[in-house]
Amino acid sequence: MIAWTKQLNAAFGTSFLWLICLIYFTQGFRSFVWTAISYQLKDNLKLSPSASQFVFSVAFFPWSIKPLYGILSDCIPIKGRKRIPYLVIATVLSLVPWFILGLVSTLRDSTWHLMVLLTAQNLGSAMADVVVDAMIAEAVRYDRASFAGDLQSISWSSMALGGICGSLLGGYALSNLQIDAIFLLFSVLPCIQLVSCCFVEENSVNSKVTPEDSIVKDSHMNASTLDEDSPLTKKSHSSTRRRKKGKKNAKGRAVNSSKPKISKKGDSLVLKWFRSLKEAIYDLCRAFRQPMIWRPMSWFFIAHVTIPNLSTVIFYYETEVLKLEASFLGTARVVGWLGLMLGTFIYNRHLKYMTLRRILMCAHIGLAFLNLLQIVVVSRKNIAFGVSDKIMVLFSSALVDGINQFKFMPFLILSGQLCPPGIEGTLFALFMSINNLGTTLGSFVGAGLASVLNIDSGSFDNLLLGIIVHALCNFIPIAFLFLIPKEATGSST
């Protein structure tokens, strides 16, 4: 391990590796502060479950437009550099909202101000995610291609470590610290990240970089990005999946490049930027018009939009009715991480040679039947059989995340297979953004369902009906599986 670390340091430099690890750790550690946000909306602002879900949906929208950040950094350099200036901007956007929320109580006690600041914060996090992916791709391509797997491994390890630490410490912090202190504590990580940017060197814009370098992957929100036992679990896992997907395909994309366009000598700087932007957008549109691309991507979008996300409602129920502590919910999210890893192992070991249609059908049927566990908890049948609520929640968290991975892995594989040469990175990020947008819209649908059923804080009489509707909606995407290529399998080979 020590020798491996020394090799990476020699190849890329200590400051570069430190920055990569720090950014990924910070993204994973976001669950620490988002746990506090959930309780701020519920306990201090007294928002209904549907209103809280709306705030989360809006706040995480910046993760749905990631290709925009990559295209901008590719086509419009700042002072001759394409990465570090944008990373600085992203870090400032990630830092300032937490700093403001920690110091100004009137802003964190206002729903609209809080939502705006959280949206700005996610804008910074998503942009940093894109830029650091581009930096990794460029480092692998131009410096040491043999270290591609090592870089992806170290970034994923940092992300996983951050996620586990954030989940475990988030609940503990809520029990022992004021919410303003939690925000200020978390802002320390972006501060260190901002300082670290000053020590990383970047080549001049004259060293041409192709658009696919800009976005190698997506993790997030979430990460399961927005769909499990609590709004935090979903977002955290969603961000993780975004990243994991990118890491899985980064090595392959890193070795493919398109020849850079050469601008005419007399062109003005603005005209060069315009032409570069126009070419990048045109290439994306031309690729996405192909049926073999838009049909499967439409299925994954439909699979999110048609299933109402009730994670925030479940979070309210668990804390108000089941009386589960914040520290326990953090533990449940860690169990969810373990379920996600187990799901990945099972997929690679037993499912990857099945057709995608069959894998996705089984995943949705499994998710529908897993709602039975929530039905049992809400109807309190588990108590009648002597099974505690905590056991049910832990078991459900692990199973949901594991089965969701059976759905997410085919998305990664298929996306990698569909990307044409030359714009792999940017088109792959577009696929991720479509997936994330579907998840966000599904969250809006869930908020609407909660509102229609009059599910509110202290009033969960119709929650059982909401869960049944959610279970039935899992069968809707199965009717559209004809959009997935018939012979496609879950293997990348």
Side-chain angles (χ1 to χ4, degrees):
M1 180 67 179
I2 296 178
W4 174 64
T5 304
K6 287 181 178 179
Q7 285 181 315
L8 287 175
N9 284 335
F12 300 105
T14 303
S15 58
F16 176 79
L17 286 179
W18 163 257
L19 182 62
I20 295 300
C21 293
L22 179 61
I23 290 176
Y24 279 106
F25 180 87
T26 301
Q27 294 285 29
F29 198 75
R30 278 158 50 88
S31 57
F32 172 83
V33 73
W34 282 95
T35 301
I37 291 296
S38 294
Y39 280 91
Q40 172 74 5
L41 296 176
K42 182 178 79 74
D43 296 335
N44 295 342
L45 299 183
K46 307 297 182 184
L47 296 186
S48 66
S50 58
S52 291
Q53 188 104 354
F54 177 82
V55 171
F56 275 113
S57 301
V58 173
F60 277 83
F61 177 76
W63 287 92
S64 300
I65 54 174
K66 291 184 66 177
L68 176 61
Y69 319 136
I71 291 174
L72 286 176
S73 66
D74 276 334
C75 302
I76 305 180
I78 298 176
K79 292 188 176 181
R81 296 190 295 173
K82 291 184 174 181
R83 307 305 176 201
I84 295 300
Y86 282 98
L87 186 57
V88 169
I89 293 173
T91 304
V92 171
L93 286 173
S94 300
L95 164 65
V96 172
W98 296 127
F99 196 68
I100 292 176
L101 290 174
L103 295 178
V104 185
S105 60
T106 55
L107 293 181
R108 67 172 175 266
D109 291 335
S110 166
T111 301
W112 288 102
H113 288 141
L114 179 61
M115 185 168 63
V116 169
L117 288 170
L118 292 179
T119 303
Q121 197 282 325
N122 274 298
L123 175 62
S125 295
M127 184 184 296
D129 185 53
V130 170
V131 174
V132 74
D133 288 341
M135 293 174 67
I136 289 179
E138 291 171 352
V140 169
R141 175 176 295 177
Y142 297 114
D143 294 326
R144 298 288 193 279
S146 61
F147 287 105
D150 294 333
L151 273 179
Q152 302 308 325
S153 296
I154 197 171
S155 59
W156 166 246
S157 299
S158 300
M159 175 67 141
L161 178 62
I164 293 174
C165 292
S167 297
L168 289 175
L169 297 178
Y172 175 81
L174 272 171
S175 303
N176 297 274
L177 299 174
Q178 296 294 323
I179 194 167
D180 56 338
I182 294 175
F183 292 152
L184 292 176
L185 275 176
F186 183 81
S187 66
V188 171
L189 286 177
C191 283
I192 299 175
Q193 181 177 312
L194 186 61
V195 173
S196 300
C197 291
C198 301
F199 298 95
V200 177
E201 297 181 359
E202 180 185 358
N203 293 331
S204 168
V205 71
N206 293 325
S207 300
K208 297 294 184 181
V209 181
T210 54
E212 65 268 23
D213 290 333
S214 158
I215 312 169
V216 178
K217 65 153 191 33
D218 189 327
S219 106
H220 8 198
M221 313 129 84
N222 284 135
S224 73
T225 277
L226 287 63
D227 52 346
E228 278 115 41
D229 296 317
S230 74
L232 283 297
T233 308
K234 168 176 91 178
K235 266 81 176 186
S236 174
H237 289 173
S238 182
S239 293
T240 300
R241 293 187 182 121
R242 294 190 192 106
R243 296 181 167 295
K244 188 173 181 180
K245 160 176 35 187
K247 298 180 179 66
K248 183 179 181 67
N249 294 275
K251 184 175 181 178
R253 287 193 298 277
V255 297
N256 293 310
S257 64
S258 62
K259 294 182 181 180
K261 305 287 189 298
I262 301 176
S263 301
K264 298 178 181 179
K265 255 186 176 180
D267 289 348
S268 67
L269 185 60
V270 174
L271 186 57
K272 291 178 182 178
W273 290 350
F274 175 77
R275 286 179 175 173
S276 184
L277 286 170
K278 181 181 177 180
E279 289 168 357
I281 295 173
Y282 176 75
D283 286 342
L284 283 179
C285 293
R286 183 176 56 183
F288 206 78
R289 283 199 300 264
Q290 301 178 32
M292 65 175 294
I293 291 180
W294 70 258
R295 284 169 61 90
M297 288 304 110
S298 296
W299 185 89
F300 285 103
F301 180 79
I302 291 171
H304 286 295
V305 172
T306 56
I307 303 175
N309 173 18
L310 297 175
S311 61
T312 303
V313 176
I314 299 300
F315 169 73
Y316 273 62
Y317 182 80
E318 290 174 345
T319 54
E320 293 185 4
V321 177
L322 303 185
K323 306 296 183 182
L324 300 180
E325 306 87 357
S327 57
F328 173 78
L329 293 179
T331 302
R333 285 190 288 275
V334 173
V335 172
W337 275 74
L338 298 178
L340 184 150
M341 296 176 184
L342 178 61
T344 302
F345 173 78
I346 294 175
Y347 179 90
N348 289 326
R349 188 72 179 269
H350 303 289
L351 303 181
K352 66 180 182 179
Y353 295 113
M354 294 172 57
T355 63
L356 290 183
R357 289 187 180 184
R358 186 177 179 185
I359 295 173
L360 294 171
M361 181 180 67
C362 292
H364 273 271
I365 292 175
L367 290 172
F369 279 99
L370 273 183
N371 279 272
L372 293 175
L373 294 178
Q374 292 181 329
I375 292 175
V376 168
V377 172
V378 172
S379 62
R380 314 307 292 134
K381 296 297 184 182
N382 60 303
I383 300 299
F385 288 97
V387 181
S388 69
D389 294 326
K390 291 185 176 182
I391 294 296
M392 293 294 293
V393 170
L394 288 174
F395 189 61
S396 175
S397 179
L399 286 179
V400 167
D401 284 336
I403 294 182
N404 264 311
Q405 198 67 355
F406 298 160
K407 177 180 174 181
F408 186 71
M409 291 296 290
F411 174 80
L412 298 184
I413 298 299
L414 190 58
S415 296
Q417 292 173 344
L418 293 177
C419 289
I423 55 171
E424 300 95 333
T426 304
L427 189 59
F428 192 83
L430 179 61
F431 291 163
M432 270 312 303
S433 294
I434 292 172
N435 195 58
N436 296 336
L437 178 61
T439 301
T440 299
L441 294 179
S443 187
F444 279 115
V445 173
L449 177 62
S451 180
V452 169
L453 296 179
N454 294 317
I455 302 174
D456 205 342
S457 180
S459 178
F460 298 97
D461 295 339
N462 292 326
L463 178 56
L464 185 60
L465 177 58
I467 295 175
I468 293 174
V469 171
H470 181 274
L472 294 176
C473 285
N474 272 285
F475 292 99
I476 296 177
I478 296 178
F480 294 90
L481 279 173
F482 64 88
L483 295 172
I484 300 295
K486 186 176 181 180
E487 302 302 326
T489 66
S491 174
S492 59
T493 58

